[in-house]
Every structure is written in structure tokens, then in C-alpha cells.
Amino acid sequence: MENCVFCKIMAGEIPSQTVYEDDEMVIFRDAAPIAPVHLLCVPREHFAHLDEMDDRRAALLGRMFLKIAALQNQLGLEGGYRLVINQGENAGQTVQHLHIHILGGKTLPWG
Ligand code: 5GP
Ligand code: ZN
């Protein structure tokens, strides 16, 4: 989608440090990391919110979770990790293209 930073990254128009990609998702490093490992898992298909999900997109999201779990050692997440999906203004969602934050590399504070 036009003017979407993640669509531009996946189109190669904005550089990123990609650590995994296939025909339906990309994992790249967050430009402003808040943990030693801070990655974003992004579906190639543009949609913003979980309430836009249907069964097909739900299956895609499931495969994203499976892929993250399969790659955890390779991504430097051996000690555990946190997944976050910010939804809407109150959560501070700034990019309107659904994405999973992957946080790890240290003991993460909670609350
Ligand atoms: P949100 O606040 O929407 O949940 O998360 C958006 C994330 O995208 C932020 O953590 C922000 O640092 C990251 N981000 C925004 N623009 C870029 C960019 O151009 N490249 C990369 N790698 N990350 C970005
Ligand atoms: Zn997009």
C-alpha cells in the first residue's frame, strides 16, 4: 500500500536489516530497538488490525507465530522472548500494517 513504511521496506524502497523472508512474511530489525533483540515479523499482505482478520489471515498469523518459534535460536532468543502486537492509538500503534514485535536478548521488565 502506498505510503506504508513496511510495504516500502518489503518492496526494497527503504533499506532494512532482514533476517528472514519468504513469500508471505518478512522478519527485519526494528529501526529503534527497545531490547537487545528487537525484530518485527510482518505479513507481506497489507492490513492494519486484527479486526480485519478472516480465516485466511488468521492462518497466516498462525504461520507467523510458528515461524518465530522455529527460528528462535537463530534469532538470538534462546533465553525466552516476548511477542507484542500494538493495536490502535491507546497501544501506541504507529505503523498501520499489522506486525508482531519480537523482543528478547535480556530479562524483559513487565509493567
Ligand atoms: P508500532 O508502534 O506500530 O507497534 O511499531 C512500529 C515499529 O516500527 C516501531 O518500533 C518503529 O521503531 C519501527 N519502524 C518505524 N519505521 C521503521 C523503518 O523505516 N524501519 C524499521 N526497521 N523499523 C521501523
Ligand atoms: Zn503496508
Side-chain angles (χ1 to χ4, degrees):
M1 179 176 267
E2 230 175 288
N3 289 327
C4 169
V5 64
F6 290 172
C7 284
K8 286 182 178 170
I9 285 174
M10 290 185 283
E13 293 167 18
I14 294 175
S16 73
Q17 286 184 268
T18 299
V19 299
Y20 175 81
E21 63 182 317
D22 63 26
D23 58 348
E24 59 183 2
M25 71 186 84
V26 177
I27 303 176
F28 53 84
R29 296 198 185 281
D30 196 292
I34 60 166
V37 180
H38 186 173
L39 302 157
L40 301 169
C41 184
V42 183
R44 288 196 184 272
E45 184 184 4
H46 180 100
F47 60 99
H49 298 121
L50 289 170
D51 61 11
E52 297 168 60
M53 300 274 282
D54 53 17
D55 285 350
R56 187 181 56 77
R57 286 176 173 169
L60 167 60
L61 192 63
R63 288 193 294 277
M64 291 165 64
F65 284 114
L66 284 173
K67 185 58 68 178
I68 292 165
L71 293 176
Q72 60 180 305
N73 290 349
Q74 193 175 318
L75 298 177
L77 301 167
E78 299 88 342
Y81 56 94
R82 179 172 298 152
L83 304 180
V84 174
I85 302 177
N86 289 323
Q87 289 287 277
E89 206 177 325
N90 280 3
Q93 184 179 5
T94 57
V95 177
Q96 307 307 312
H97 181 137
L98 189 120
H99 51 282
I100 305 171
H101 290 262
I102 307 168
L103 301 162
K106 69 168 188 180
T107 302
L108 301 163
W110 182 252

